[in-house]
Amino acid sequence: MEIDPNTLDSDATYKILIGSVLPRPIGWASTLSTDGVANLAPFSFFTVVARKPPMISLTIQPRSDRTRFKDTLINVRETGEFVINVVSLPQVNQMHLSSAEHPSEADEFEVVGLGKLPSITVRPPRVDGAPVAMECKVETILPLGEVGDHLVIGRVTRFHIRDDIWLERGRLDTAALQPVGRLAVEYTLANTVFACPIPDHMLTDEVHKRMRRIDQKDTGWSPLDDKNWSAAGNATNLKG
């Protein structure tokens, strides 16, 4: 299959991108409005962009109406601050719920049942229980493309790392993190580790295997066929 992106609309292009660039790490961003209302939302267009000083990026799309900006973008533009919280398995349901389009006056921490921890260098709170959090000051915000996407680059001004995953020589115990990533419309748990080269017989054994579901759904189940499921966080039955 060969596809010219110039022949596609933004929705069709988006489906190809999120089905190809994976697994994507999730930047769970907490912000404060100028009125002091806390906001919390996950973004899978998220990565590291620089080391010294450390910088990370978020790409934020408009709301589902394609015209209004999301509260996260409004808040970072007006305050210049945000916190990135790493999503691990124990908080995955709250993360999913926080992706819904809640009213701007709603505090997502309260809506999804999460505690707040104070930050040191910025005003937005951190997620209580997140294994890693990064306080950030906005370096730049760039409008990109034709459909209202904005690239936010933040400079990390403080790292918060849970004591039990901090190792000698300044490393993190990534095997203990249980980090959650984004696929196309579903999620994945990073729970396998390997170093290359892998023995050929292992490659032969693994190469044709499909991903293993851990949500007790049938292997042929697709979220797109379930009217009660939502990629936007407003699922009616998170327990499946």
Side-chain angles (χ1 to χ4, degrees):
M1 178 66 68
E2 181 180 316
I3 302 172
D4 181 353
N6 291 318
T7 66
L8 304 176
D9 62 19
S10 59
D11 286 343
T13 304
Y14 179 71
K15 291 175 183 177
I16 294 174
L17 288 172
I18 64 172
S20 305
V21 183
L22 47 83
R24 300 185 304 281
I26 299 171
W28 204 9
S30 49
T31 60
L32 275 183
S33 71
T34 54
D35 294 329
V37 178
N39 179 270
L40 183 64
F43 299 90
S44 66
F45 284 18
F46 161 68
T47 193
V48 175
V49 294
R51 296 175 296 160
K52 187 67 176 180
M55 295 187 191
I56 57 89
S57 70
L58 293 173
T59 298
I60 303 176
Q61 302 166 357
R63 285 178 175 262
S64 58
D65 61 13
R66 312 296 178 88
T67 57
R68 292 180 297 157
F69 292 144
K70 291 184 177 178
D71 292 330
T72 301
L73 178 60
I74 294 172
N75 291 348
V76 298
R77 289 177 67 175
E78 294 182 347
T79 69
E81 299 177 340
F82 61 99
V83 178
I84 290 297
N85 306 273
V86 170
V87 179
S88 62
L89 187 62
Q91 296 179 320
V92 69
N93 283 341
Q94 289 96 331
M95 177 275 295
H96 185 65
L97 285 174
S98 72
S99 67
E101 293 186 346
H102 300 286
S104 297
E105 62 273 16
D107 181 327
E108 276 86 356
F109 283 84
E110 296 178 0
V111 171
V112 304
L114 288 168
K116 300 172 184 172
L117 292 176
S119 298
I120 306 300
T121 64
V122 298
R123 289 167 292 176
R126 299 177 283 131
V127 171
D128 188 8
V132 178
M134 293 174 276
E135 300 179 17
C136 299
K137 299 274 191 178
V138 172
E139 282 286 314
T140 188
I141 300 176
L142 299 173
L144 296 173
E146 303 171 358
V147 290
D149 294 346
H150 284 74
L151 175 69
V152 177
I153 297 178
R155 174 172 48 88
V156 180
T157 55
R158 192 73 91 235
F159 292 103
H160 296 270
I161 301 168
R162 201 173 65 205
D163 290 344
D164 64 290
I165 62 172
W166 181 252
L167 302 177
E168 295 179 2
R169 296 185 296 165
R171 295 185 179 275
L172 276 65
D173 185 4
T174 54
L177 269 176
Q178 292 186 305
V180 174
R182 190 72 154 152
L183 298 176
V185 295
E186 298 174 275
Y187 301 101
T188 185
L189 174 64
N191 63 351
T192 59
V193 179
F194 64 88
C196 288
I198 296 177
D200 288 344
H201 70 87
M202 289 294 297
L203 292 176
T204 301
D205 291 343
E206 296 292 328
V207 70
H208 294 300
K209 290 183 179 179
R210 294 178 63 84
M211 290 183 181
R212 180 176 62 90
R213 301 200 71 92
I214 63 171
D215 54 10
Q216 299 183 338
K217 298 186 185 298
D218 185 79
T219 55
W221 179 85
S222 169
L224 302 180
D225 298 329
D226 188 340
K227 294 180 180 179
N228 292 324
W229 192 91
S230 170
N234 55 344
T236 59
N237 183 7
L238 281 175
K239 293 183 179 180

